[in-house]
């Protein structure tokens, strides 16, 4: 069971960060063709940009094309369990207990992080848990081979070719071994899974040994992760997620990530904190209904958006944000009584019908992504159904 849950988390954690996906990057050399010739072109380009020729020769000499990397890239997907089930599977008592143990073991590091970066320990513990199960499962793809393979592939060369040069720079500093450094299929390295360029930009020598080694040093990994979160826009001393209760008769079309109001304004619509008072009544917040009007409800503050910069999966982001709250002492969420999710076959049929009506739902893959949610909301509104973006059998029958 532990292994299977770790696999579920890693299936999501292995997805590229949103900020990396949105960057066009730079195509340094022509992609495709003979792989050995491509490696020679990359080596020549690295030397032309100032890399030491001997270091570059050693770095590129042993690179190999990795078909498993291409296979992993082609089968990217988001796990399709609804939030409540996914969260219950991943957030076990043992994972919570392990998080508290790690919090105590690295208390000094977390105190430094809070003082220097303003990132709460629960947030970093959540990413640490879901990315690599607190460092236990960091991926077994050779990092340089994966980056070179993806840089050679003409699908996204502008994203991965600069990562190769960043990996070369890390190697020249003694922080990466091209023969032995391993990680995720897309080149992320270490306990919190960072790409080489992110390590160059935000890597921190947390243990003071003169190197940034995210695979073996928890202080390095945690402080580097905190630095990257700050770089992605983390706002110190502000919350990120708060569970709320919603009235039965509100305008559900407002529950979308691009609709923001302050909690005071949400309160005018009947939204109330689950307990006590709103944590930040004057901050902008979105109403998050992962399973529609009858399921759990949250307010997501600006820091919640930063989670999407780390990973683009809606289910992963919400689960990580909620787990971070649990690690900080929040109670178990109220799951409500949501309508049952559609089966995979029903979701695909729904997507086919929506696409035939002219909606852009992306690939018909059975995944409730942003495009499908938006189309569902529009059709719910047109048909006079609660526009909460949660697809139901009633909607499918109506279509």
């Amino acid at each position: 069971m532990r292994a299977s849950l770790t696999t579920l988390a890693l299936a999501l954690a292995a997805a590229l960060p949103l900020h990396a996906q949105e960057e066009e990057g730079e195509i340094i050399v022509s992609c495709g063709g003979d792989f050995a010739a491509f490696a020679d072109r990359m080596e020549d380009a690295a030397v032309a940009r100032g890399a030491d020729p001997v270091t570059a020769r050693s770095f590129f000499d042993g690179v190999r094309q990795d078909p498993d990397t291409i296979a992993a890239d082609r089968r990217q997907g988001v796990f399709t369990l609804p939030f409540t089930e996914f969260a219950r599977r991943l957030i076990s008592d043992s994972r919570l207990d392990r998080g508290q143990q790690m919090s105590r073991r690295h208390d000094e590091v977390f105190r430094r992080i809070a003082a220097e970066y303003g990132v709460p320990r629960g947030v970093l513990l959540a990413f640490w848990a879901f990315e690599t199960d607190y460092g236990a499962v960091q991926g077994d793809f050779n990092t340089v081979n994966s980056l070179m393979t993806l840089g050679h592939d003409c699908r996204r060369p502008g994203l991965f070719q600069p990562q190769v040069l960043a990996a070369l720079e890390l190697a020249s500093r003694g922080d990466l071994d091209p023969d032995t450094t391993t990680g995720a299929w897309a080149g992320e390295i270490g306990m919190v899974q960072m790409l080489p360029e992110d390590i160059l930009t935000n890597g921190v020598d947390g243990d003071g040994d003169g190197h940034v080694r995210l695979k073996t040093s928890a202080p390095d990994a945690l402080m580097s992760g905190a630095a990257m979160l700050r770089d992605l826009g983390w706002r110190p001393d502000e919350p990120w997620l708060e569970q709320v209760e919603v009235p039965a008769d509100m305008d559900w079309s407002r529950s979308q990530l691009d609709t923001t109001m302050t909690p005071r304004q949400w309160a005018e619509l009947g939204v109330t904190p689950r307990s006590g008072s709103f944590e930040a009544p004057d901050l902008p917040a979105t109403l998050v209904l992962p399973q529609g009007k009858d399921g759990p409800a949250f307010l997501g503050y600006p820091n919640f958006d930063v989670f999407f910069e780390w990973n683009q999966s809606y289910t992963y982001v919400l689960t990580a944000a909620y787990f971070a709250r649990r690690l900080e002492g929040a109670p178990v969420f109220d799951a409500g009584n949501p309508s049952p999710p559609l089966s995979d076959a029903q979701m695909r049929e729904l997507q086919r019908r929506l696409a035939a009506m002219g909606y852009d739902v992306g690939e018909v893959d059975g995944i409730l992504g942003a495009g499908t949610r938006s189309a569902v909301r529009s059709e719910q509104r047109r048909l006079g159904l609660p526009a909460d973006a949660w697809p139901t059998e009633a909607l499918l029958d109506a279509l």
Side-chain angles (χ1 to χ4, degrees), residues 253-291:
S253 65
R254 294 176 180 267
S255 61
Q256 48 190 329
L257 293 180
D258 58 357
T259 297
T260 60
M261 299 191 298
T262 68
R264 295 185 195 276
Q265 292 171 316
W266 285 114
E268 294 175 1
L269 299 178
V271 177
T272 58
R274 186 180 174 193
S275 60
S277 57
F278 286 118
E279 296 181 23
D282 297 314
L283 285 181
T286 59
L287 181 61
V288 181
L289 302 178
Q291 290 173 251

Side-chain angles (χ1 to χ4, degrees), residues 213-270:
R213 292 174 175 162
L214 307 189
K215 288 179 65 68
T216 57
S217 171
D220 288 7
L222 293 169
M223 295 198 72
S224 297
M228 188 167 82
L229 284 168
R230 184 181 66 178
D231 191 46
L232 292 173
W234 188 269
R235 295 161 56 152
D237 304 318
E238 291 186 8
W240 57 96
L241 191 74
E242 178 179 14
Q243 186 166 24
V244 295
E245 296 180 353
V246 292
D249 58 350
M250 74 171 292
D251 178 2
W252 302 109
S253 65
R254 294 176 180 267
S255 61
Q256 48 190 329
L257 293 180
D258 58 357
T259 297
T260 60
M261 299 191 298
T262 68
R264 295 185 195 276
Q265 292 171 316
W266 285 114
E268 294 175 1
L269 299 178

Side-chain angles (χ1 to χ4, degrees), residues 16-178:
L16 280 172
L18 180 62
H19 70 280
Q21 290 198 17
E22 291 183 339
E23 292 174 359
E24 294 184 4
E26 176 190 5
I27 298 177
I28 296 168
V29 301
S30 59
C31 59
D34 179 73
F35 185 80
F38 168 74
D40 288 341
R41 293 196 297 274
M42 284 295 295
E43 180 180 344
D44 290 343
V47 173
R49 292 173 179 231
D52 175 69
V54 174
T55 302
R57 175 80 295 229
S58 175
F59 180 88
F60 287 102
D61 186 49
V63 296
R64 300 289 182 271
Q65 193 170 17
D66 183 9
D68 289 339
T69 294
I70 294 295
D73 184 35
R74 298 299 191 264
R75 66 172 177 262
Q76 280 191 82
V78 179
F79 201 73
T80 55
L81 284 177
F83 163 71
T84 53
E85 186 174 352
F86 185 78
R88 285 167 175 164
R89 290 195 183 194
L90 255 65
I91 302 174
S92 62
D93 288 340
S94 61
R95 188 159 277 158
L96 280 164
D97 291 343
R98 181 69 171 159
Q100 297 301 336
Q101 292 171 14
M102 289 298 186
S103 177
R104 291 190 295 270
R105 179 179 301 176
H106 301 285
D107 181 67
E108 181 183 351
V109 175
F110 285 118
R111 289 178 182 275
R112 289 170 57 196
I113 287 171
E116 294 180 30
Y117 302 103
V119 179
R121 66 180 65 198
V123 172
L124 287 166
L125 285 165
F127 280 123
W128 195 9
F130 286 177
E131 294 286 334
T132 63
D133 214 2
Y134 301 110
V137 185
Q138 299 188 31
D140 57 5
F141 287 83
N142 178 280
T143 298
V144 175
N145 287 348
S146 287
L147 291 174
M148 282 289 289
T149 297
L150 294 166
H152 170 264
D153 183 45
C154 290
R155 188 172 175 218
R156 288 170 294 175
L159 170 59
F160 290 104
Q161 288 183 12
Q163 298 293 341
V164 172
L165 298 189
L168 172 58
E169 176 61 25
L170 290 175
S172 71
R173 299 178 181 184
D175 294 337
L176 180 149
D177 185 327

